[in-house]
Amino acid sequence: MALIELKSVTKIYPLGNQEVVAVDDFSLSIEAGEFSVFAGPSGSGKTTLLNMIGCLDQPTRGEIWLEGQEIGHADQKMLSELRLRNIGFIFQSYNLIPVLTAAENAEFTLMLQRVDKRERRERVTDLFSLLGLDGLENRKPSDLSGGQQQRVAIARAMASEPTVVLADEPTASLDSHASEELLALMQRLNQEQGATFIFSSHDPLVISHGKRVVRLHDGHLESDQ
Amino acid sequence: MLYQLALRNIWRNRRRTLLTLSAMIISSALLILALGVFSGMLRDMLATATEQYYGHLVISAKGYQDDRDMFRHFQSDESIGTVLEQEDVLGYSQRLRSFGLLSRQQNSSPAEILGILPLQEQTVTSLHESLIDGNYLTTEDPNGAVLGSGLARRLNVVPGDQLVFVTQAADGSIGNDLLLVKGIFSTGDIGHDNSLALVPLAWLQQVLVLPGQVHEIAVKIDQPFNAASLAEKYRVDLHETLEILDWGEMLPEMAEVVASYDVSRMIIVTILYIATGLGILNTFFMAVMERTRELGVLMALGMRPGQIRVMILLETTIMGSLGLVCGAVVGIALSLYMALVGVDLSGTLTPITYAGGTILPRLHAVIEPGNILIPSVCLLIVSLLAGFLPANRAAKMQPVVAIREE
């Protein structure tokens, strides 16, 4: 059984009096441990797909299965729970909580899951060490560089050991050096910890790191390599 | 965790938080002070009416207070003794009353003559503290008189002068005798200052030919606002020919003023807090609007809408509680100052007699639990209500839409 399965997924957004088809009759299977990239130009539907897999949005038609559970038509409470337990997000502009320190940001989902404080600290310390963030635990996001903030965001996404980590244009706000470092780190996490990563990006650097590249165009699957 | 997050969110924009807190503190502190001064004015009015003349309770023959008929007199009996020994009773004064003509040389004036026992009267009224000339009556004075300032002015008398009092006695004869002016009082209550004279009880009993008789016993109690219930309680102990009236029955206009106070208080609280509430609502809406994206991220990370709502409400509750505590402390401090020192306005204002009492030319506060509790509790309710709308908006946001917000 695939970790994620999309069956004839269509997403239509209302736009004034018109409708925009963001994803059209899209089907795909993703196995556990994959390091996949949804590639395509702006408006191709890659972020919409990522949002639907991440339980942030729901399809107009079709089904989305995550670990054997249909999530495409779950209620808000269930979606919150799925996001908390199964999904790790890495956003383009980091989106760290400004009032929390780096370590508290990384611990946030664990706090929501009511994980014991000591265990939280251990997990985050390990991740910070792995991500080269030692010594930055008590810094506020505003005191960190873009690359450091994105690493904290990775730590936050990874801390709760989710089923899948979704990264939407994760390098868009970083320079090429920082992007290279970050991608190498995520590849390492994928290899060492077996975490499943799905990216959306039109950055050739990110695409070149993908083990599987799913190309989209106007909401349709163009290629899957 | 939610509490910690809420606390940090409050302080992320210190200037705005401090401004909002200031509005809360100032509004509740000023409200506490205003209600304290309002209560002080009311207490003054009640005190001028009861502690300068009526007393809080009055025992008299049935119907006497309606027509003040000289023949409705009585002698103190056991049933009265039972009432006067109650622990709520701070003091009482036996009185005999007469209306007649006071004159000196070419000057004369109608007057109300109140026969009293000086030491007893001092336990009920504070006229002895309102002397502006001469001395108060003593037990040794056989025919002394203490006059209101307006009456003394009309008769053109000063302490040491003699007066003639003429009235009808109970036996049908003309009662008359000489009085020696001992002192002059001024209460600010024009009605009594212009017509009242205190004389020894025994002297008036002799002039009226009513030996051992009184018309009323004025009683001072511990809690004036409990007078009605105490009167009800004591009524059963009295002889059937006697009645006991509380100040509210003797001064119905004053009772109306007191009754309307609670309504006035709530109107003031409502008006002030609508304005404050809108300010708080505006602040919290702003705080939520500018955090839309962040709230979307929190939801994306798995925070439930209910937790988002609780977090925002916690922020408003913490702010409200802080405003409440600081506002109450400042309000109590200001009220204490106004209670202990006050502001004397006698240089610019004169006393105003209204509803049987006198509004004195001063700002003076009293500290009552209700005047602190009502503004405090209302501030907390207003904060919660003001937080509810933005909290609800935040909880209903779609994370995918919120994250896209710039």
Side-chain angles (χ1 to χ4, degrees):
Chain A
M1 184 180 64
L3 178 71
I4 299 162
E5 201 159 2
L6 291 91
K7 295 181 181 174
S8 303
V9 170
T10 298
K11 180 66 187 181
I12 302 170
Y13 288 114
L15 188 70
N17 294 328
Q18 294 182 322
E19 288 184 333
V20 175
V21 181
V23 175
D24 192 12
D25 198 21
F26 189 95
S27 296
L28 188 78
S29 288
I30 294 169
E31 300 297 330
E34 280 194 18
F35 198 77
S36 308
V37 181
F38 290 167
S42 292
S44 59
K46 53 190 189 301
T47 298
T48 304
L49 269 179
L50 220 58
N51 285 341
M52 287 193 287
I53 294 169
C55 303
L56 290 175
D57 209 351
Q58 290 181 296
T60 312
R61 285 191 295 273
E63 294 175 1
I64 301 174
W65 293 78
L66 176 68
E67 283 192 310
Q69 189 177 2
E70 210 285 306
I71 60 169
H73 300 93
D75 60 22
Q76 287 302 319
K77 194 177 170 190
M78 171 71 83
L79 291 175
S80 292
E81 192 61 23
L82 283 165
R83 287 195 294 266
L84 178 61
R85 307 277 169 197
N86 298 71
I87 314 289
F89 283 102
I90 300 168
F91 301 97
Q92 177 183 332
S93 45
Y94 331 129
N95 283 337
L96 299 178
I97 308 303
V99 293
L100 300 179
T101 63
E104 287 168 339
N105 263 288
E107 282 181 33
F108 190 75
T109 48
L110 297 174
M111 284 196 274
L112 287 176
Q113 290 178 4
R114 297 182 188 280
V115 173
D116 170 67
K117 190 175 179 180
R118 188 192 291 174
E119 195 184 331
R120 285 193 326 243
R121 278 287 139 118
E122 277 174 15
R123 277 203 225 176
V124 168
T125 305
D126 289 348
L127 275 168
F128 268 43
S129 176
L130 193 67
L131 293 165
L133 291 168
D134 290 316
L136 303 177
E137 289 85 352
N138 295 321
R139 295 243 187 120
K140 287 281 175 67
S142 56
D143 298 328
L144 298 173
S145 70
Q148 287 169 332
Q149 286 191 58
Q150 196 61 303
R151 281 190 238 177
V152 174
I154 293 171
R156 180 175 67 184
M158 293 292 300
S160 62
E161 295 168 358
T163 311
V164 58
V165 176
L166 304 174
D168 186 15
E169 307 273 8
T171 58
S173 304
L174 300 175
D175 60 38
S176 57
H177 178 69
S179 300
E180 186 71 57
E181 268 189 5
L182 208 76
L183 286 164
L185 271 172
M186 287 194 274
Q187 265 183 332
R188 198 173 146 201
L189 288 167
N190 171 251
Q191 284 160 6
E192 289 180 6
Q193 300 193 0
T196 307
F197 278 84
I198 305 175
F199 298 84
S200 83
S201 183
H202 56 258
D203 181 355
L205 183 68
V206 178
I207 295 166
S208 69
H209 279 77
K211 287 181 192 167
R212 180 183 179 187
V213 179
V214 178
R215 289 189 186 276
L216 293 108
H217 188 77
D218 287 343
H220 294 279
L221 178 66
E222 195 177 64
S223 68
D224 185 358
Q225 296 166 328
Chain B
M1 178 198 64
L2 287 179
Y3 176 76
Q4 208 174 21
L5 206 54
L7 207 58
R8 292 197 196 174
N9 280 332
I10 287 173
W11 294 111
R12 68 197 299 171
N13 191 332
R14 280 167 199 245
R15 187 179 299 173
R16 186 172 58 201
T17 300
L18 288 174
L19 278 172
T20 312
L21 263 179
S22 306
M24 288 176 166
I25 292 168
I26 291 171
S27 60
S28 56
L30 288 183
L31 195 56
I32 288 170
L33 176 66
L35 294 180
V37 171
F38 203 7
S39 291
M41 197 173 75
L42 207 68
R43 284 272 181 99
D44 275 352
M45 281 180 71
L46 184 61
T48 54
T50 58
E51 291 169 26
Q52 288 180 2
Y53 183 69
Y54 289 97
H56 299 135
L57 299 171
V58 176
I59 299 167
S60 53
K62 276 189 176 160
Y64 173 74
Q65 297 299 341
D66 297 331
D67 57 12
R68 300 239 163 126
D69 179 356
M70 178 176 58
F71 298 102
R72 293 186 199 269
H73 49 78
F74 65 98
Q75 208 165 1
S76 196
D77 67 4
E78 266 184 35
S79 71
I80 296 171
T82 311
V83 171
L84 301 179
E85 283 162 13
Q86 300 287 329
E87 61 177 14
D88 301 298
V89 174
L90 297 180
Y92 65 90
S93 176
Q94 300 175 81
R95 295 165 167 179
L96 189 67
R97 183 178 281 108
S98 175
F99 298 93
L101 195 70
L102 278 175
S103 57
R104 171 178 157 74
Q105 296 174 348
Q106 280 78 40
N107 301 315
S108 62
S109 177
E112 176 186 349
I113 307 295
L114 205 57
I116 57 159
L117 295 169
L119 290 178
Q120 273 190 4
E121 185 64 24
Q122 286 178 43
T123 65
V124 177
T125 61
S126 57
L127 289 171
H128 58 286
E129 293 168 358
S130 305
L131 290 178
I132 57 168
D133 200 2
N135 300 303
Y136 196 65
L137 294 177
T138 63
T139 46
E140 282 79 42
D141 290 325
N143 63 340
V146 176
L147 275 65
S149 54
L151 184 61
R153 197 165 44 246
R154 202 175 295 158
L155 294 168
N156 195 24
V157 294
V158 292
D161 289 344
Q162 274 196 327
L163 287 169
V164 177
F165 176 61
V166 182
T167 189
Q168 184 197 344
D171 63 355
S173 65
I174 299 294
N176 62 80
D177 205 347
L178 289 175
L179 283 166
L180 181 66
V181 178
K182 294 283 292 181
I184 296 168
F185 65 81
S186 177
T187 61
D189 176 354
I190 297 161
H192 291 125
D193 285 352
N194 284 349
S195 64
L196 186 64
L198 303 180
V199 298
L201 177 63
W203 179 86
L204 192 58
Q205 284 171 335
Q206 185 201 324
V207 171
L208 296 181
V209 198
L210 287 172
Q213 300 296 306
V214 294
H215 282 129
E216 66 185 29
I217 299 175
V219 180
K220 183 176 182 177
I221 56 172
D222 190 20
Q223 298 291 330
F225 289 102
N226 294 343
S229 59
L230 284 178
E232 194 64 42
K233 185 176 141 192
Y234 299 157
R235 202 158 278 145
V236 292
D237 294 328
L238 286 177
H239 191 271
E240 59 183 13
T241 58
L242 298 175
E243 65 181 0
I244 181 165
L245 301 177
D246 66 273
W247 59 263
E249 290 167 295
M250 290 180 291
L251 295 160
E253 301 94 341
M254 175 69 80
E256 285 285 316
V257 170
V258 172
S260 67
Y261 171 63
D262 284 339
V263 179
S264 316
R265 183 161 63 174
M266 286 319 291
I267 290 171
I268 294 170
V269 171
T270 306
I271 291 170
L272 193 76
Y273 277 162
I274 282 176
T276 309
L278 287 174
I280 301 169
L281 178 66
N282 178 50
T283 304
F284 279 107
F285 246 121
M286 290 272 290
V288 167
M289 295 284 279
E290 69 187 27
R291 276 157 56 200
T292 299
R293 186 193 180 100
E294 188 181 311
L295 294 170
V297 171
L298 291 176
M299 284 198 243
L301 296 177
M303 211 160 162
R304 291 192 302 274
Q307 289 176 306
I308 297 276
R309 186 182 284 117
V310 169
M311 185 182 73
I312 307 277
L313 282 174
L314 264 175
E315 289 174 25
T316 58
T317 309
I318 293 169
M319 286 275 279
S321 305
L322 261 175
L324 179 159
V325 172
C326 297
V329 168
V330 176
I332 291 170
L334 289 172
S335 301
L336 265 176
Y337 174 80
M338 289 300 282
L340 297 174
V341 182
V343 177
D344 183 10
L345 300 171
S346 58
T348 50
L349 297 174
T350 52
I352 300 164
T353 302
Y354 172 66
T358 302
I359 301 170
L360 299 174
R362 64 172 183 167
L363 292 178
H364 165 253
V366 290
I367 296 175
E368 289 178 356
N371 290 342
I372 297 159
L373 276 176
I374 291 172
S376 302
V377 172
C378 286
L379 180 65
L380 200 58
I381 292 170
V382 163
S383 306
L384 276 174
L385 286 177
F388 186 77
L389 285 174
N392 228 24
R393 182 191 183 275
K396 283 182 178 168
M397 282 190 301
Q398 291 297 317
V400 69
V401 178
I403 288 170
R404 275 203 293 263
E405 196 98 0
E406 288 303 323

